[in-house]
């Protein structure tokens, strides 16, 4: 039985959520084996791979990105790592949410993560709702009425599953359906687009009141390339300069200890 779209060589899934134990449990459940067994939430993204009915799946498990107290620089670094691990882009996001602990702040952080990937991330998401830690016999409380959780589910096109008594095949089938609904295309991440644009597009820089320009490779070829050699060893810098220029460049001993030297 083919669960995943046939055109995919490897399905890439990203786990998010407000509980490390749940993310770990769901990750191992999907992969069909205990890939991650650490009890403490890691401070880095973890990736596990497996084969499902002959098809490859890569699962990226994230640190506690929904922690409201996480520093902004650390938060963005973790997201960038996740983007790189899932390059050229994930196919499915699985926010694994524990309703009784899921706050408005968690919701905002989750939306921040998905938006950093792309504003299309919500169309690639399936919300997994945990079983309450303490559930009284016969309890029929509908945790999707939780305001913050309900808004997330609505934004994700009402795609959700309860983890209680969830069959692995059912979960894999729903993951495959999301990939198929998006024609098997991976998500084109905005962070990767920004990085590519930054290396190709001229940028304006203010330097002492004047405006300089960082040129693209094509512009550098037309106007010439300027390089600065830095380092502790004068001999190494001189040797490298001679190698780049293909001729003898700096010969004065001791001058570089006091002055910057230029050669064209």
């Amino acid at each position: 039985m083919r669960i995943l779209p046939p055109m995919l060589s490897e399905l890439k899934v990203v786990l998010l959520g407000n509980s490390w134990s749940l993310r770990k449990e769901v990750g191992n459940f999907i992969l069909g084996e205990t890939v991650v067994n650490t009890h403490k939430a890691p401070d880095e993204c973890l990736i596990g791979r497996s084969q499902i009915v002959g098809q490859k799946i890569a699962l990226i498990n994230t640190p506690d990105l929904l922690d409201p107290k996480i520093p902004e620089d650390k938060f963005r670094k973790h997201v960038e790592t996740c983007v790189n691990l899932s390059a050229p882009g994930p196919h499915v996001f699985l926010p694994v949410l524990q309703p009784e602990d899921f706050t408005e702040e968690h919701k905002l952080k989750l939306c921040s993560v998905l938006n950093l990937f792309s504003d299309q991330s919500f169309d690639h998401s399936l919300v997994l709702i945990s079983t309450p830690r303490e559930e009284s016999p016969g309890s029929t409380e509908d945790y999707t009425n939780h305001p913050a959780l309900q808004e997330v589910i609505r934004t994700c096109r009402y795609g959700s599953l309860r983890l209680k008594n969830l069959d692995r095949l059912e979960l894999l089938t729903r993951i495959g359906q999301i990939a198929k609904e998006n024609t098997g295309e991976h998500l084109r991440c905005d962070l990767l687009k920004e990085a590519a644009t930054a290396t190709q597009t001229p940028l304006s820089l203010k330097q002492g009141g004047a405006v300089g320009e960082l040129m693209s490779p094509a512009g550098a070829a037309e106007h010439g390339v300027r390089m600065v050699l830095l380092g502790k060893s004068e001999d190494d810098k001189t040797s490298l300069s001679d190698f780049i220029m293909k001729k003898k460049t700096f010969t004065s001993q001791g001058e570089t200890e006091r002055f910057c030297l230029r050669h064209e």
Side-chain angles (χ1 to χ4, degrees), residues 32-232:
E33 55 183 317
T34 303
V35 176
V36 179
N37 56 14
T38 174
H39 296 291
K40 185 179 179 181
D43 196 33
E44 59 184 359
C45 292
L46 303 178
I47 185 168
R49 286 185 165 87
S50 185
Q51 286 207 356
I52 300 170
V53 197
Q55 293 171 282
K56 295 180 181 179
I57 182 169
L59 192 142
I60 297 95
N61 210 334
T62 58
D64 288 331
L65 296 179
L66 306 195
D67 181 1
K69 297 180 181 178
I70 186 172
E72 185 62 29
D73 58 339
K74 189 175 183 180
F75 170 76
R76 190 174 179 92
K77 180 181 177 182
H78 283 324
V79 175
E80 289 174 349
T81 300
C82 185
V83 168
N84 291 329
L85 285 176
S86 60
H91 299 94
V92 179
F93 290 96
L94 294 179
V96 186
L97 306 181
Q98 197 167 35
E100 58 264 49
D101 294 332
F102 189 67
T103 66
E104 182 71 17
E105 289 179 308
H106 287 134
K107 183 201 76 175
L108 294 175
K109 277 292 184 183
L110 175 60
C111 292
S112 294
V113 174
L114 294 174
N115 278 318
L116 271 176
F117 271 87
S118 169
D119 57 3
Q120 301 297 315
S121 297
F122 300 94
D123 295 339
H124 291 251
S125 298
L126 174 65
V127 179
L128 301 181
I129 306 168
S130 75
T131 302
R133 285 190 295 268
E134 296 181 5
E135 190 174 25
S136 59
S139 174
T140 59
E141 184 175 358
D142 187 359
Y143 277 89
T144 57
N145 285 331
H146 185 294
L149 179 60
Q150 189 176 27
E151 185 174 349
V152 170
I153 293 173
R154 184 170 60 249
T155 307
C156 294
R157 302 191 302 181
Y158 294 94
S160 66
L161 281 176
R162 288 177 177 270
L163 287 175
K164 184 178 181 180
N165 301 324
L166 181 62
D167 181 76
R168 181 169 177 255
L169 181 59
E170 180 185 2
L171 175 56
L172 293 172
T173 301
R174 288 291 298 274
I175 291 173
Q177 285 175 347
I178 290 177
K180 291 173 185 175
E181 288 169 3
N182 291 284
T183 64
E185 292 289 330
H186 61 79
L187 191 70
R188 288 173 172 78
C189 300
D190 291 340
L191 283 175
L192 291 179
K193 294 177 191 174
E194 290 174 10
T197 302
T199 60
Q200 297 172 7
T201 305
L203 301 176
S204 293
L205 294 178
K206 291 184 178 180
Q207 299 174 332
V211 177
E213 187 180 69
L214 288 179
M215 290 179 290
S216 64
E222 178 182 352
H223 298 284
V225 177
R226 295 179 182 179
M227 292 182 287
V228 177
L229 293 178
L230 302 172
K232 185 176 181 180

